[in-house]
């Protein structure tokens, strides 16, 4: 069985979200739990392994075709400001202003 630290390990599609969750959990552990030097080193080593794996997955194509790296570099994204509709006669609660 391949270990996530090995270069030839490729996770199943269902486990990719779990990698991001694991990364968050490791960062939270470093920030919130008092750890010994050995424990901190182990957590940092695990976080580095997860980061390397996520980096390798950035070049694996999604079901739609482009890789996550290509999606992130796409310049044809819709700016959020163009999606926000403003109406000067209404406040944010939807009440008419006078």
């Amino acid at each position: 069985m391949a270990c996530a630290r090995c270069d030839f390990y490729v996770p199943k599609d269902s486990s990719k979200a779990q990698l991001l969750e694991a990364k968050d959990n490791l960062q939270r552990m470093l920030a919130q739990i008092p750890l010994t030097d050995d424990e901190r080193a182990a957590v940092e080593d695990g976080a580095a392994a997860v980061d390397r794996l996520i980096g390798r997955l950035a070049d694996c194509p999604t079901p739609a075709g482009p890789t996550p790296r290509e999606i992130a570099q796409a310049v044809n994204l819709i700016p959020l400001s163009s999606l926000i509709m403003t109406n000067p006669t209404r406040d944010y609660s939807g009440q008419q202003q006078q």
Side-chain angles (χ1 to χ4, degrees), residues 38-52:
D38 290 340
E39 292 169 334
R40 180 171 292 281
V43 171
E44 289 172 350
D45 186 43
V50 170
D51 283 339
R52 284 192 304 273

Side-chain angles (χ1 to χ4, degrees), residues 10 26 62 66 74 79 84 93 97:
V10 178
L26 290 170
T62 62
I84 299 173
S93 65
Q97 293 181 354

Side-chain angles (χ1 to χ4, degrees), residues 43-73:
V43 171
E44 289 172 350
D45 186 43
V50 170
D51 283 339
R52 284 192 304 273
L53 184 55
I54 290 172
R56 285 197 334 251
L57 292 176
D59 294 320
C60 292
T62 62
T67 66
R69 193 178 313 273
E70 292 170 342
I71 293 170
Q73 293 174 350

Side-chain angles (χ1 to χ4, degrees), residues 1-49:
M1 175 179 254
C3 170
R5 295 173 194 249
C6 298
D7 289 335
F8 55 88
Y9 174 75
V10 178
K12 297 186 290 185
D13 290 338
S14 61
S15 64
K16 291 178 184 177
Q18 291 174 340
L19 286 173
L20 295 175
E21 183 179 352
K23 180 180 176 181
D24 288 341
N25 289 338
L26 290 170
Q27 290 174 346
R28 189 176 314 115
M29 186 182 296
L30 284 172
Q32 296 178 353
I33 299 173
L35 301 170
T36 66
D37 290 341
D38 290 340
E39 292 169 334
R40 180 171 292 281
V43 171
E44 289 172 350
D45 186 43

